[in-house]
C-alpha cells in the first residue's frame, strides 16, 4: 500500500471497524477515528484480538501527525527504537482494589516506625513545594535535592534492611496494569530496550517486578536511585548520582542497570548505554506532563508519547491531549500500547 493510500485510510467511520480494532477519538470530532492494524507480529499477539477494548479510554489530538510518526518509526525499523517509561501510575495502576495504589516510594515501611513518621513529615513539607506555582524551577530543583537527600539519610539512619523492602512490597497495595508483562515480552522478542525512569528506589522497583511479574526481561533497565547493602542486608549508602522528580531524564543514563542481573541471569550480555543513544526513535510512556522531559537528554528523531490520565479527566484532558500524542484515560490497561507498538514494528507496506 502506498503512503498516500495509507494516509487516506486513517480517517474512517466506526461502522467499518472490526470489533477487535482500536478506535481513537480525535480532539476535532467525535466521529473521527484512527485505527491501527491488528497484532501482526506473531500468533501470540493475534490471540489478543479477543480482548475487548473500550474506545472511550483512548484519545488522539492529531491523528495525521500520529500516523506520520508511526510511518517514520516503522521505516527506520525496530533497531532504532527504544521505550522510555515512568513507573508509578504509568506501568502500575492508579487504583488498586478500589483505593489509590501505593507508589514504589510510598509503600516502604522501615523496621523502625519512628523513621516512617519522619519521612512522612518530610513529604508533608516538601510535596506542596514541588507543585508550587510561585517557585522558580531552579529553586524547586534545590528543594527536591534537599528532600531526597534527607529521606535517603533517614533510610540509612533508621537501619533499613532488604528484608523490610521485601515485606513492604508483599504488603503493598500496588499492581501492574494489565498487559505490562506482555508489552515487555513483545519488546524483548524484538530486542527493543526499555528504560524505566523513576525518582524512587530501584531496589524497590526490582522487588515489585520480582513479586508481581515473577520473571525478568533482558531488555529492561532501571534509571533510579540505587541502594548499597552490607553483608547483613542493612542499607549503608546510595550508589551514584541522586535522581529526583525534576532531573529524571536521559542525562541520568549512566545510572541505568539491567534488572535481569538482580534475578541471577548475570551471563546474559547487556547493551552498552552508548548504543541506546543511537536508538533515536522513542516511545515514551508517562502519567504526568513533566514525564515528557525524560527524553530531554536524547537527541531523538521521532518520539511518540503516550500519556496515562488516571483521574480528574474532565479538567485535565485538554492539557494532556495537547502534550501527548496519545492519551489513555481512567486507569486504562496496556493493550492499546501493545497494539500501537506492534503497528510501529510491522513490516507491512
Amino acid at each position: 500500500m502506498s503512503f498516500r493510500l495509507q494516509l487516506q485510510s486513517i480517517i474512517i467511520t466506526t461502522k467499518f471497524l472490526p470489533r477487535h480494532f482500536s478506535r481513537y477519538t480525535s480532539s476535532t470530532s467525535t466521529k473521527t477515528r484512527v485505527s491501527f492494524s491488528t497484532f501482526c507480529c506473531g500468533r501470540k499477539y493475534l490471540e489478543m484480538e479477543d480482548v475487548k477494548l473500550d474506545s472511550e479510554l483512548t484519545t488522539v489530538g492529531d491523528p495525521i501527525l500520529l500516523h506520520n510518526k508511526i510511518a517514520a518509526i516503522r521505516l527506520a525499523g525496530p533497531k532504532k527504537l527504544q521505550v522510555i517509561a515512568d513507573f508509578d501510575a504509568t506501568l502500575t495502576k492508579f487504583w488498586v482494589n478500589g483505593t489509590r495504589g501505593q507508589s514504589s516510594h510510598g509503600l516502604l515501611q522501615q523496621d523502625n516506625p519512628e523513621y516512617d513518621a519522619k519521612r512522612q513529615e518530610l513529604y508533608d513539607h516538601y510535596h506542596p513545594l514541588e507543585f508550587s506555582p510561585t517557585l522558580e524551577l531552579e529553586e524547586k530543583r534545590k528543594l527536591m535535592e534537599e528532600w531526597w537527600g534527607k529521606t535517603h539519610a533517614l533510610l540509612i539512619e533508621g537501619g533499613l534492611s532488604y528484608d523490610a523492602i521485601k515485606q513492604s512490597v508483599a504488603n503493598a497495595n500496588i499492581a501492574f496494569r494489565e498487559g505490562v508483562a506482555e508489552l515487555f515480552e513483545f519488546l524483548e522478542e524484538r530486542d527493543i530496550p526499555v528504560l524505566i525512569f523513576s525518582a524512587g528506589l530501584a531496589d524497590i522497583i526490582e522487588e515489585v517486578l520480582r513479586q508481581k511479574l515473577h520473571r525478568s526481561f533482558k531488555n529492561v533497565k532501571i534509571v533510579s536511585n540505587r541502594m548499597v547493602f552490607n553483608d547483613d542486608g542493612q542499607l549503608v549508602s546510595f550508589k551514584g548520582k541522586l535522581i529526583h522528580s525534576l532531573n529524571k531524564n536521559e542525562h541520568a543514563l549512566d545510572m541505568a542497570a539491567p534488572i535481569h542481573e538482580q534475578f541471577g541471569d548475570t551471563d546474559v550480555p547487556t547493551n552498552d548505554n552508548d548504543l541506546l543513544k543511537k536508538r533515536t526513535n522513542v516511545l515514551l510512556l508517562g502519567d504526568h506532563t513533566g514525564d515528557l522531559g525524560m527524553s530531554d537528554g536524547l537527541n531523538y528523531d521521532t518520539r511518540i508519547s503516550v500519556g496515562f490520565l488516571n483521574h480528574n479527566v474532565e479538567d485535565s484532558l485538554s492539557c494532556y491531549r495537547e502534550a501527548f500524542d496519545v492519551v489513555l484515560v481512567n486507569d486504562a490497561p496496556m493493550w492499546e500500547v501493545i497494539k500501537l507498538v506492534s503497528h510501529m514494528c510491522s513490516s507491512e507496506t
Side-chain angles (χ1 to χ4, degrees), residues 128-309:
L129 300 177
E130 180 181 2
F131 296 96
S132 171
T134 61
L135 294 177
E136 297 293 334
L137 181 59
E138 189 56 37
E139 185 176 0
K140 284 186 179 182
R141 285 198 181 100
K142 292 179 180 179
L143 288 169
M144 294 305 100
E145 290 178 7
E146 186 178 289
W147 178 13
W148 259 252
K150 290 180 178 180
T151 298
H152 288 182
L154 286 175
L155 293 174
I156 297 173
E157 183 182 339
L160 178 68
S161 67
Y162 197 84
D163 286 340
I165 291 177
K166 291 191 290 186
Q167 192 60 46
S168 295
V169 172
N171 296 335
N173 190 44
I174 190 170
F176 285 99
R177 295 178 189 269
E178 291 86 354
V180 166
E182 289 81 358
L183 174 64
F184 285 174
E185 183 176 351
F186 182 95
L187 296 168
E188 182 183 49
E189 290 175 356
R190 286 150 187 82
D191 294 321
I192 298 172
V194 179
L195 293 181
I196 298 176
F197 279 68
S198 174
L201 300 167
D203 305 81
I204 294 179
I205 293 173
E206 288 172 352
E207 189 61 31
V208 174
L209 286 161
R210 181 180 292 109
Q211 291 193 27
K212 304 302 181 182
L213 296 185
H214 309 293
R215 62 153 297 182
S216 61
F217 299 89
K218 68 178 184 291
N219 61 323
V220 175
K221 289 188 175 185
I222 297 177
V223 181
S224 188
N225 298 290
R226 292 193 167 273
M227 300 175 174
V228 177
F229 296 87
N230 62 20
D231 293 338
D232 295 325
Q234 299 291 317
L235 175 64
V236 293
S237 64
F238 283 82
K239 181 180 180 180
K241 301 175 183 178
L242 182 80
I243 299 178
H244 55 75
S245 58
L246 298 182
N247 74 345
K248 56 170 189 173
N249 56 41
E250 286 259 353
H251 292 296
L253 191 58
D254 58 341
M255 294 286 290
I259 186 171
H260 63 271
E261 288 186 355
Q262 304 300 321
F263 287 77
D265 302 327
T266 54
D267 58 331
V268 180
T270 62
N271 291 330
D272 183 70
N273 287 339
D274 288 338
L275 297 179
L276 287 174
K277 296 178 181 180
K278 296 180 180 179
R279 289 179 173 264
T280 52
N281 291 328
V282 177
L283 174 63
L284 185 147
L285 311 177
D287 72 301
H288 191 280
T289 55
D291 289 332
L292 292 167
M294 292 188 298
S295 60
D296 282 353
L298 180 67
N299 186 24
Y300 59 82
D301 295 326
T302 304
R303 183 186 72 180
I304 293 178
S305 57
V306 178
F308 290 85
L309 177 53

Side-chain angles (χ1 to χ4, degrees), residues 109-116 158-165 234:
Q109 297 294 306
Q110 292 181 243
D111 301 296
N112 189 333
E114 176 186 351
Y115 284 88
D116 293 329
L160 178 68
S161 67
Y162 197 84
D163 286 340
I165 291 177
Q234 299 291 317

Side-chain angles (χ1 to χ4, degrees), residues 88-89 92-96 98-103 173 287 311:
D88 294 313
T92 62
K93 292 181 178 181
F94 188 84
W95 299 106
V96 182
T99 61
R100 175 70 173 92
Q102 291 178 291
S103 69
N173 190 44
D287 72 301
H311 65 123

